[in-house]
Amino acid sequence: MNGKPRRTSQMPTTKRKKPTLNLPEIQPGNWRGEILGSCTLSFGQVVQPGPPRRSVEFTYMIMPGALTMPEARFTWPGVIMIMTPTPMKTEVPDAGRLFRTEHFPSLNLSLEVTRGQFSDMLRMLEAKRLTDFHFTLEDEAEDSWPIYSWGMSAALLNAMR
C-alpha cells in the first residue's frame, strides 16, 4: 500500500450541473395582481435638514403579492409597497414603478397614492374587501418599469336589502 485509499467500487466521476431557472423577460402591458397576506403599515416622521429645517411625515404599507404578466404567461412572487407623498416630494410623472429583485426571482411593485386614496384603501384592506388589482407597465427605463396606470377593486356589502 502506498498510503492512498483504495476504491472498492467504481463510482462515476461526473459533476452534477446545478439546475438553472430561466425566468421570462418583463413585458410591458396589462398585468394583474393579487394581495396574498397581511399588510405591514408604517407611520413616522423625520427631520429634513434645511434651510429651512422641516419635520416631514411618511406613511406606507407593504404586503406580499402575486404579479401576473400579460397573457398569464408567468406569475411572479412579489412585494407591493403603497406610498403616500410627503410635502418635500417633487412631482413624479409615473403612477409607480416595478423593480426586479437582484438575487431572488421576485418583483417589487411601488405604487404612488394620494393621502385620500391611502385612507380609503386602508379601510378596505382592514375590512378584507380589496379583491384584486391591475396595473399597466410601460417600456423599461433606468433599470425599472414605469407604471402608467393602476387600479384596485373592493367588494362592498349590498346596501339595498
Side-chain angles (χ1 to χ4, degrees):
M1 262 185 135
N2 59 2
K4 293 183 182 177
R6 198 179 104 172
R7 284 191 172 178
T8 56
S9 64
Q10 293 293 339
M11 300 278 262
T13 58
T14 60
K15 290 185 178 182
R16 290 185 183 190
K17 290 184 179 179
K18 290 185 180 182
T20 58
L21 180 60
N22 293 323
L23 297 171
E25 291 296 318
I26 304 297
Q27 297 293 319
N30 297 319
W31 288 55
R32 290 179 294 121
E34 182 181 355
I35 298 167
L36 296 179
S38 62
C39 169
T40 300
L41 185 60
S42 298
F43 300 95
Q45 205 143 340
V46 64
V47 173
Q48 297 289 317
R53 181 179 154 134
R54 291 184 6 178
S55 181
V56 178
E57 67 180 62
F58 61 86
T59 308
Y60 61 92
M61 62 175 91
I62 298 175
M63 61 195 83
L67 308 174
T68 303
M69 298 178 74
E71 302 166 10
R73 287 187 43 218
F74 187 77
T75 298
W76 292 81
V79 174
I80 304 156
M81 183 171 178
I82 300 174
M83 303 169 50
T84 62
T86 67
M88 304 276 293
K89 184 138 178 138
T90 59
E91 285 293 317
V92 178
D94 304 312
R97 294 198 78 83
L98 182 76
F99 302 90
R100 184 181 297 198
T101 306
E102 190 172 331
H103 299 292
F104 300 104
S106 68
L107 300 174
N108 293 327
L109 177 64
S110 176
L111 300 176
E112 300 284 334
V113 300
T114 65
R115 180 70 55 191
Q117 281 178 316
F118 191 85
S119 296
D120 291 344
M121 289 173 69
L122 191 55
R123 286 195 311 265
M124 292 291 116
L125 190 62
E126 187 175 37
K128 299 181 185 334
R129 293 201 176 150
L130 288 181
T131 56
D132 61 359
F133 68 97
H134 58 89
F135 56 99
T136 303
L137 280 187
E138 295 184 293
D139 290 326
E140 184 177 7
E142 301 172 13
D143 295 327
S144 65
W145 291 263
I147 305 293
Y148 178 75
S149 66
W150 67 267
M152 287 191 180
S153 300
L156 297 176
L157 297 176
N158 186 356
M160 302 185 68
R161 290 187 194 206

